[in-house]
């Protein structure tokens, strides 16, 4: 806090980045491990929570070390801290890869507005809830999770939490990061009042509320527009594409492993 107060007074226009952090996932047969060891599930939780907390603290960028393991079977610090295993392990993707992809898919260009709750005590737990908004859109996203007070590792902490966005939203759903899934698992809520009842765990969940039917809109610039509703896709999904001029486009769906599922359109519009 003192550093950021000093930075605000003396270096107003200078961004602050944080480098670098990570957790090794390898546990040797004799139970030896690096100083920064965390099981794969905990590594995934820690990475998501770290990015969210660092953003709340004021860091504009944070760099995880590293994307791929240097040696997935080595207890040397940061040898096995990647999102992907090493070449000998066929670059298998860890849960952290899918968790981080899900967070990126949900938050995208959303901007942090405020911390609704931060280390708020609830029984034996702390509660965290950060509010994000998309510029120019009605949607809000809340990242929420819990952990045991003063814990040094994840212990399976859970608690209930009432999210109050300040008004009664028309639509709301939560996205829960999941292994082998780039979009996570979605739970839709029937909103009957101003508060939404959540079940929090140590894995951050992303609660999307909207005045319109839950959807994700991607608009990189004013010349292109892509809308997908609902997203994540269900039995029926509407895909709307707008381009600035007549041109050839292709719209296809792929599995998380990159396998083509179906090409919906390949032509000129």
């Amino acid at each position: 806090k003192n550093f950021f107060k000093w930075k605000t007074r003396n270096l107003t226009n200078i961004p602050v980045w944080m480098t670098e952090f990570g957790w090794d996932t390898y546990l040797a047969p004799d139970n030896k491990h690096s100083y920064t060891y965390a099981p794969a599930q905990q590594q995934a939780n820690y990475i998501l929570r770290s990015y969210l907390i660092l953003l709340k603290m004021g860091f504009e960028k944070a760099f995880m070390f590293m994307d791929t393991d240097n040696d997935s079977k080595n207890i040397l610090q940061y040898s096995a801290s990647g999102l992907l295993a090493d070449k000998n392990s066929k670059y298998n993707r860890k849960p952290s890869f899918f968790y981080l992809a899900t967070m990126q898919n949900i938050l995208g260009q959303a901007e942090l507005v405020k911390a609704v709750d931060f280390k708020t005590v609830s029984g034996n737990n702390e509660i965290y809830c950060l509010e994000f908004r998309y510029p120019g859109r009605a949607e809000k996203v809340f990242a929420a999770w819990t952990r045991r007070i003063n814990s040094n590792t994840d212990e399976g902490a859970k608690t209930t939490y009432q999210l109050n966005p300040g008004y009664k939203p028309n639509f709301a759903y939560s996205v829960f990061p999941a292994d082998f899934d780039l979009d996570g698992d979605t739970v839709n809520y029937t909103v009957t009042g101003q508060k939404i009842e959540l079940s929090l765990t140590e894995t951050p969940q992303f609660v999307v509320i909207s005045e319109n039917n839950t959807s994700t809109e991607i608009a990189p610039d004013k010349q292109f527009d892509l809308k997908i509703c609902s997203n994540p896709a269900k039995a029926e999904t509407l895909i709307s594409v707008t381009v600035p001029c007549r041109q050839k486009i292709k719209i296809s769906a792929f599995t998380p492993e990159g396998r083509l599922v179906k090409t919906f359109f390949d032509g000129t519009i």
Side-chain angles (χ1 to χ4, degrees), residues 9 25 36 43 45 49 55 76-77 96 109 114 124 154 162 166 172 187 194 210 213 219 261 265:
R9 292 195 300 266
T25 57
T36 55
Q43 182 214 34
N45 289 343
R49 286 165 12 201
L55 185 61
L76 184 66
Q77 187 173 6
S96 55
Q109 298 300 315
K114 63 181 178 181
N124 295 321
D154 280 359
Q162 287 189 331
V187 174
Q194 186 167 303
S210 177
N213 198 0
V261 176
F265 183 83

Side-chain angles (χ1 to χ4, degrees), residues 127-161:
I127 291 176
Y128 299 77
C129 182
L130 305 182
E131 179 183 335
F132 294 81
R133 291 187 183 181
Y134 300 100
R137 288 165 53 185
E139 288 182 347
K140 293 183 181 180
V141 181
F142 296 86
W145 71 94
T146 189
R147 66 185 294 272
R148 195 76 67 198
I149 297 174
N150 296 325
S151 65
N152 294 321
T153 184
D154 280 359
E155 303 173 356
K158 298 180 180 179
T159 193
T160 57
Y161 178 66

